[in-house]
Every structure is written in C-alpha cells, then in structure tokens.
Amino acid sequence: MSCLKKLMSILLAVLVCVLAVGCGSQTAKDKKEFTIVTSFYPMYIDVLNITKGVEGVKVVNMTKPQTGCLHDYQLTTEDMKTLEKADVFVVNGAGMESFLEKAAKQNPKMKTIEASNYKDINLLKNGDEENPHVWLSVTYSIAQVKAITAGLCEADPAHKDAYRKNALDYCMKLEALKEEMHGELDNLPHKDIVTFHEAFPYLAKEFKLNIVSVIEREPGTEPTPQELEDTIKQVNGLTTKVLFTEPQYSPAAAETIARETGAKVYQLDPIVTGEANESAMDAYIDTMKKNMAVLKEALQ
C-alpha cells in the first residue's frame, strides 16, 4: 500500500510539472507584443533609440527604408496589413503623411503620435503649406524625440521608465551633436547656399545659412527652363558658387547649373533613406556629421 501511495505521489508530481510547463508555454505564446509602426526612416531612427533594449516591444518601419520623403505617398496593401497590427503609429506630421485619415480608418484602435506636434516646434511655411522637414534642425529633432517619448509613455505605461531613460540618453547625444555643429558652422565665412529641394530650411535657420535658391521645388520634378535660368543668375551672383544635391534624387539639373556657372556640386543628405536594422540608431548623428563636414568644406 505504501508503494502504491509513493507511486501515486510521483505521478501527481509529474502531472503538476507537466501542467505548469504547459501553462507557462501558453502564457508566453499568448503574450502580445506591443507593436510600434513608424511612417518613414527619420521616425524609425527615433523610435529605435527610444525603445532600445525594451523587451516585448516590436518596431516596424511601414515604408521601405529607401522610400524617402512621403509627400505624395499612397498606402499599399502591404502597408494596410502592417497598420492592422499596430498599437501605435509614429509619424512626422506637419503634412508629410497625407494618408493619416486613411491609416486611422484601417485600425481605429491604433494611437497615432505626430512627432512635429510639440510645443517647442514652430513650423516654417512654403507659401501656404507647412514645411514638414523639421528633423533637419537638431533642436527640433530633440523636440520630436520628446514628443514621441511622451506619446509612447501614455500608450504603453508599462515601459515608460525605460522609454524615458533611453530618450534622455539619446537627447544627450543629440545635444552634443548640436554643440559640435554650432562650433563648426556658426562662424563660416560664407552663408549663401543653393539646395536641391525644400528639405533644408530648418537646418539653414538653425545654423544661420541663407538659402538663395532651390533647384527643384517639387522633388523629382525637373525645373522649367525659366526656373533654371533664374537659378543660374542667382548662382552667378554668389561669392562662393556651391550647389547641394541629395543622394535620393538625380543631380542632372544641378550639373546643368554647375556647367553654366562654374559652381561646385556637393551633396547634403536629408536622412530619409537607410538601413532598416539596429545600425539605424546611429544614422541621424552620423549623417548630420557628414553634412556638417560637407558644409564646412563648401563654405570656407
């Protein structure tokens, strides 16, 4: 009888262990990831830094990392599927993403965080339209990180301490970048520049550069003959003749102007394309430092 009791005790213990393992596996399986979807590359960089090392949080960039600015972007079927799984959608705002209403209809429960909707950000205008390229001011990039962090803490309070710590670490790096760029660019002898499209007014404002002309008002749209002629006249009037193209677009128009004026052509990167992996965490700082070096060389 004692042997039977002992055997039953062993079987009971084994059963308890099996049930415990089974329940544990089910809990792990059922545990839902908190999914943050970003609209395009600059937002992806910020969110990667804010969520670094936070378990149970997944970051997905909705558009391909080579998409560039989203001025005329149309949501794809794949984008719709991505948004269906989103707990939070982090966007730049200020008119960059014209599809926000459609995205909200796709997932009514999804919280949308507009990074440009922050008290310290004063939007510049191109005519009647707001210029959305605010991240190219380091000061405003820091403000965007703060706006995203506040939104994520509200949407996912379980991880708010980690978000805040990561955001503070990243903002300190951005502050150091800002100080370095001011030290290198504030006292350059020449300040007049010709840029490729309307991506750089915020950078110009922060570092006291004067955008004399823009080669393509609408990115990807060739300037008219009259626009080319006007830009050539403006470049010919500059003490230092420099043009800045962007890696995301053909430099053909800039090269035409350069041939007519003798201007040198350099490249500034608006940081809208790059790798969609952890290396993206350093992409903003690394690229802004390259932009700083280019401006310093061009404007001496």
Side-chain angles (χ1 to χ4, degrees), residues 1 6 22 30 77 90-91 106 138 143 145 190 193 202 210 218:
M1 191 69 179
K6 188 179 292 185
D30 291 345
T77 302
V90 177
V91 302
Q106 182 67 15
V138 185
V145 171
H190 303 288
I193 63 174
Y202 292 97
N210 177 35
E218 294 295 327

Side-chain angles (χ1 to χ4, degrees), residues 10 21-22 30 35 53 58 71 96 108 110 119 157 175 183 194 206 210 220 223 228 243 260 266 268 293 296:
I10 293 171
V21 170
D30 291 345
T35 302
K58 182 180 181 181
H71 299 291
M96 177 62 75
M110 175 183 71
K119 59 183 175 63
E175 289 285 359
V194 175
E206 177 147 11
N210 177 35
L228 268 178
L243 311 173
E260 295 294 324
Y266 295 87
L268 287 178
K296 187 177 178 182

